[in-house]
Amino acid sequence: MQKQLREQIERLKAAGATYVDARWYPVEESNQLTMWNGNLKNAAASRESGVGIRVLYKGAWGFSASSDMQNLNRLFDKAFDNARIAAERVTFPIRLAEKDAIQATFNSPNQIDPFAVSLADKIAFLKEMDEKLNQPGVAQRISEVTFMRKQIIFIDSEGSEIEKNIIEAFPGIQVTGLDDQGVMHSRKFSPARLGATRGWETLDPQLFAENAERIVREMNQVRAAEDCPKEDRSVILLPGIMFLQTHETIGHALELDRILGYELAFAGGSFVTLDDFGKLQYGSSKLTARADATVPNSPGSFGYDDDGIPAQDNLLIDKGLLVGAITGRQMVEEANARARRAIFNGSGGANRATAFYRVPIERMTNINIDPGQDGSLEDIVRNTEKGIILDGEKSWSIGSNREQFHFATDIGWLVEDGQVTKVVKNSTYKGATVKFYNSLSAVGDESTWEVRYVDNCGKGQPNQIMQLGHGVPVCRFDNVRIGE
Amino acid sequence: MKDQILQTLHDLRAYALLKGVEAMFFYHEEDSYLMRFANSAISLNTNEHLIRLEITAYEGRKRASYELITDLNKLGEMKQGLDIAAEMVKHAQPLSYQPTLPLYPASFADESGFDSTLAALSNEERLAFFNEAVAGLETDEIKLSGIFSNGSNITAQIDTRSEHTQYFRTSDAQVNIVLAHSLLKWEITAEQSAYRKADLNPQSLRRDLAFLRERYQNDSPEQIPLGKYDIVFGATAIGDLLSIMNWVGFSGGALKRGYSFLTEDQLGKKIFSDQFNLTDDPTRLETFPYQRDIMGLDRGPFPVFEQGVFKSFTWFQDDADEFGVAPTGHTVMHKSLVISGGEMEVSTLEELVNLPRENDLLYIPFLHYMNLVNPSKGLVTASSRFGALLLKKDGSVVVPYNVRVTQSLLDIFGEKVAWLAKNQVVNNTSSSYGARNPTAVIVPAFMRVNDLEISHSNTSY
Ligand SMILES: [Zn+2]
């Protein structure tokens, strides 16, 4: 098949295409199991294979995809035709940043292939969790696992040929219960990534058992708690909400295609402009953020992106100063040209597609916050006068330019004069992005830093769901409005 | 094509019977075209032709499913899929209830929502439509974005309980156009939904865009003060609010799991404004309807709210099975929700702006990134976007920076409703996640709700 794809790529090059690539997925599999109140509601598996063709012609993209590989001629021609018509409406002719031709293979690290584990063993794991969660106060209990495996073969007209074999495991448990007014509250757990591995072995029954007990206890505390006050306080975000804060207001805000207006029709833009790179004080000097696709155990690491660019670790925010973005080959060229200065030195290797039938776009890798110097969670609490500790993403809504946000969390613990005083329910906080990050007053050390994953990040039209990660410490922000 | 699909389903059924497996086959075929615009260029032009087959195997109270992306010429692969589902179900765990497998009384086919000329639009036609809709409206600073998405969709089903089949074919188009000022960062939008080619009307989009563009170019923007406003929601905002209510309001499964803001004792009681009537109406072809559900139940107009009184939850078969409730014909990929028009004679934005008004009116056409802060209270939050206007009572118009609204659906559709527009609009709510599923709701063009709080007001767009 590789030979046939190479021949087709050469054929379109000879016909005038500037660039052609093919992403062939010989196999992509998933396996999803959901146990809800003891019922195995969902026992599903899926399999797909196919190829996606991307053609650049006279500065415009055309794309086509099919699971039917019998007629490659037609499929490649379709992509070329789509590029030809797109070339009739070009404002900035697409150029691709320079890269090296690469022949390589990437295998995600894992010890036990979850697709080799029997269904019975997987169900036994869910059943064990379900029994642990079946406690007084719990109205709904959910245990679920999703496993993914994909093989991707990338071939382009610049001489690259890359094979990727990626396995992911996404387990999680959740409980909900009602308070005396009939309002639902929930608490959930999915494990932070530990060790340099991504397979079945990440489902540690002991760790899950401990956390099952904890989330039931905390959910029952929330059910009995008073409402979160409506006032200004310092908010101390645990990694279980800090990951999403980072995702929504650093990650999405720094996708270069958003900054350049390529997502305006749907997901939105960004308050960041090209002028801001090297100038904008995005946060306080305690804030250092990076796009690190080399974290071994996270779905935000994939070896080579779908432009064939090797994984990188790039600074985004350096001690508060905006210095980088999440980039691919096309957007860095356009950004540098529009800014009339070399903001970006080549692609950052973050162009990815969710499936063979979608086109690669700029996606987060692992958007991480560096650990800081302010000690453990206990140290940060001890040094907080009037605060609230928040954890667990419940709801998130972000302005179309990522300039402001509103989050609700599963739980809050009030802090008064360095002491945790009580749990509150219906906790929320909101803010304006740049003001918020500039109020960052404490960043926890390594002991607070965890790699969290996101398995459902949506972007693009047609829409694409992507898996990625966030390594984040405990962070404290001052004078934040809560309880609205 | 239809014959080949149904024959394949019959072949698969025969194979399942031969293997002694109880099974259901759900066939989905899409031919999807999407031309995406950004920065006044075509940023992506794509076509995907995909066939998905979902096979669910049953064994007593056990159930397991296997889905593959395949092709009609790969019967062997599909049969292997059945084998895998059959193997999975052996190891599955019994449910606490008996899941229902459909028993189709007769074969059913519906192609009334299919227009071959819409399904087969050419690249040239998509581009020409866009060029006409924005003719003369772009400048070096005012850039065009948007999508022209169209295609065709086939779903078909068979199972081992009968030899009858169900077959549905629709065509659809969704057009969103955004004009955005690259320096000032304002954005305006207009959109259209179609199930047949004759519904496509670039001139009407151009009219809406031209009107808003005039406002946004000539009126200087303001950060408006926090506090209570009389808000007029546009059709897209109403459609979004309705979609979220469909999820955490009248769905029986959500109710039983504690995710709904409605309760069983509210049935028959007045919950919303008496101007509020909501029906699931599969006779409206604009909603790409299913006139039968996957279980084979006939679907007709189904009242959910009448004059604000809550009439019925809707049940998905699996929830109905689990909670021992009679199914309501709502095991469908999407409902056909229709909010009735009201009394107010206002059809266009221009007419709204010219309406005499005793108070300031904040017009919010679009709610960006809505999420549920508290499902049990129906509390949602979202920001305004795309062409909001503050219509002052003195007749002047101000362009507001984006604002955030955090409110309960009980208030938004409750006694604070002042009026609903008589004229209804089709709002295409399709998302392009996963398998193509063209979806639209029909809602009043405008809805005025008094006394709603703005909790955040931006200092820029
Ligand atoms: Zn995301």
Side-chain angles (χ1 to χ4, degrees), chain A residues 315-420:
Chain A
L315 268 180
L316 299 173
I317 298 168
D318 188 12
K319 299 188 184 70
L321 185 70
L322 177 66
V323 295
I326 296 160
T327 66
R329 291 183 80 189
Q330 173 188 346
M331 296 299 160
V332 291
E333 285 289 305
E334 181 169 341
N336 288 345
R338 279 211 228 166
R340 296 200 177 85
R341 64 186 174 115
I343 305 173
F344 304 102
N345 180 20
S347 165
N351 224 24
R352 280 198 288 165
T354 185
F356 71 84
Y357 50 84
R358 292 285 188 261
V359 71
I361 52 177
E362 262 114 348
R363 302 307 302 243
M364 290 177 224
T365 55
N366 301 292
I367 307 306
N368 299 347
I369 307 288
D370 283 2
Q373 314 289 327
D374 297 301
S376 64
L377 172 61
E378 292 70 28
D379 294 330
I380 292 175
V381 169
R382 198 179 316 118
N383 294 315
T384 301
E385 199 177 319
K386 186 183 179 192
I388 185 169
I389 304 169
L390 297 171
D391 193 34
E393 80 282 17
K394 182 177 180 186
S395 129
W396 51 98
S397 174
I398 304 94
S400 58
N401 288 311
R402 304 276 148 171
E403 74 293 347
Q404 48 91 7
F405 56 83
H406 180 284
F407 285 86
T409 64
D410 290 335
I411 190 167
W413 293 268
L414 293 186
V415 175
E416 312 287 352
D417 298 322
Q419 301 283 336
V420 175

Side-chain angles (χ1 to χ4, degrees), chain A residues 38-39 41 43 45-47 63 82 85 89 91 184 260 264 270 395-397 403-404 430 463 465, chain B residues 39-40 45 63 65 67 96-97 131 138 185 318 322 369 371-372 376 383 385 404 432-433 455 458:
Chain A
N39 268 320
K41 295 288 275 188
S46 74
R47 183 186 175 93
F63 182 77
N82 285 344
I85 190 92
R89 214 185 211 277
T91 44
M184 186 192 70
L260 293 175
L264 272 192
S270 174
S395 129
W396 51 98
S397 174
E403 74 293 347
Q404 48 91 7
K430 63 171 199 166
N463 206 277
I465 298 292
Chain B
N39 292 314
S40 291
N45 191 22
R63 180 179 64 196
S65 65
E67 185 185 301
S96 62
Y97 56 90
N131 285 338
E138 295 168 274
K185 291 220 169 188
D318 188 50
E322 179 174 356
Y369 215 127
N371 209 330
L372 265 170
S376 312
S383 300
R385 194 182 169 194
R404 177 173 290 283
S432 49
Y433 290 87
S455 61
N458 268 12

Side-chain angles (χ1 to χ4, degrees), chain A residues 245 248-250 253 258 269-272 282 396-407 429-437 484, chain B residues 223 226 367-369 381-385 401-406 454-461:
Chain A
Q245 180 71 48
E248 302 292 2
T249 57
I250 293 180
R258 275 185 85 115
S270 174
F271 66 89
V272 171
Y282 204 104
W396 51 98
S397 174
I398 304 94
S400 58
N401 288 311
R402 304 276 148 171
E403 74 293 347
Q404 48 91 7
F405 56 83
H406 180 284
F407 285 86
Y429 70 103
K430 63 171 199 166
T433 304
V434 172
K435 184 169 171 242
F436 180 78
Y437 282 107
E484 267 184 16
Chain B
Q223 180 188 20
L226 298 182
L367 289 166
H368 179 81
Y369 215 127
T381 189
S383 300
S384 68
R385 194 182 169 194
Y401 288 133
N402 293 341
V403 297
R404 177 173 290 283
V405 183
T406 305
I454 297 300
S455 61
H456 173 94
S457 180
N458 268 12
T459 54
S460 63
Y461 289 109

Side-chain angles (χ1 to χ4, degrees), chain B residues 219-248:
Chain B
D219 300 333
S220 53
E222 279 180 23
Q223 180 188 20
I224 63 171
L226 298 182
K228 292 198 165 172
Y229 288 83
D230 293 353
I231 297 181
V232 176
F233 292 105
T236 308
I238 301 169
D240 270 5
L241 290 162
L242 177 56
S243 297
I244 212 156
M245 180 156 55
N246 179 31
W247 177 29
V248 294

Side-chain angles (χ1 to χ4, degrees), chain A residues 252-274:
Chain A
H252 280 304
L254 294 183
E255 290 160 345
L256 191 51
D257 55 348
R258 275 185 85 115
I259 293 171
L260 293 175
Y262 282 92
E263 287 291 327
L264 272 192
F266 178 60
S270 174
F271 66 89
V272 171
T273 66
L274 293 178

